[in-house]
Amino acid sequence: PHAGPGLTRSELCSRLSRQLDEAIETHAKAAQVATAKALQKKGNRYCASRKQAQGIRTFANGLKLLGVTPVDPDR
């Protein structure tokens, strides 16, 4: 399954990882930041080991935890 118009899963991985980075900066005081950082690490590991779908879901969970809507190339 393709990840959307012009975006490969790897690109989506790095885009979501960057988005999560920004969300962590923006919500630095949130109690969930530690959890979000852990999810980001896990997501990066998934993406690095060619498990992009799992990585993308992991990043999305981290973003939702911080109240941020993940980038969705399908919409």
Side-chain angles (χ1 to χ4, degrees), residues 58-69:
T58 306
F59 290 136
N61 288 338
L63 286 161
K64 287 178 192 148
L65 188 72
L66 296 173
V68 177
T69 308

Side-chain angles (χ1 to χ4, degrees), residues 21-37 65-66:
D21 252 345
E22 289 164 19
I24 289 169
E25 295 285 311
T26 312
H27 302 80
K29 292 179 183 64
Q32 295 90 342
V33 165
T35 311
K37 283 183 174 171
L65 188 72
L66 296 173

Side-chain angles (χ1 to χ4, degrees), residues 2-70:
H2 194 63
L7 271 190
T8 65
R9 280 192 167 164
S10 316
E11 288 167 335
L12 192 52
C13 269
S14 47
R15 184 173 289 195
L16 284 167
S17 185
R18 276 197 307 274
Q19 191 188 6
L20 191 46
D21 252 345
E22 289 164 19
I24 289 169
E25 295 285 311
T26 312
H27 302 80
K29 292 179 183 64
Q32 295 90 342
V33 165
T35 311
K37 283 183 174 171
L39 285 169
Q40 186 182 33
K41 271 200 190 111
K42 194 192 270 186
N44 284 329
R45 274 200 305 273
Y46 280 137
C47 287
S49 56
R50 294 177 186 228
K51 294 178 180 160
Q52 282 94 343
Q54 277 172 287
I56 289 163
R57 276 198 301 275
T58 306
F59 290 136
N61 288 338
L63 286 161
K64 287 178 192 148
L65 188 72
L66 296 173
V68 177
T69 308

